[in-house]
Amino acid sequence: MRFEIMRLDDVDGTPVDTTIVDAACVNTIVQQAAAIGQRLWIRPADLPAS
């Protein structure tokens, strides 16, 4: 499964950038963000059906 992770602006919470990662990477990204106090929004990535 793949997830979309958006880094959020510290002031108003708007998305600053976004990346698509596989499930194995989510934990590492969350830990890194928590270490520096970064806000994230994580949701399942909408992938087109093949």
Side-chain angles (χ1 to χ4, degrees), residues 18-44:
T18 186
T19 188
I20 305 292
V21 299
D22 61 19
C25 296
V26 174
N27 187 43
T28 301
I29 293 170
V30 168
Q31 288 180 7
Q32 291 171 346
I36 60 172
Q38 192 173 59
R39 294 168 55 193
L40 301 176
W41 179 9
I42 303 170
R43 64 182 181 183

Side-chain angles (χ1 to χ4, degrees), residues 8-21:
L8 303 177
D9 183 79
D10 291 336
V11 176
D12 62 8
T14 58
V16 175
D17 61 31
T18 186
T19 188
I20 305 292
V21 299

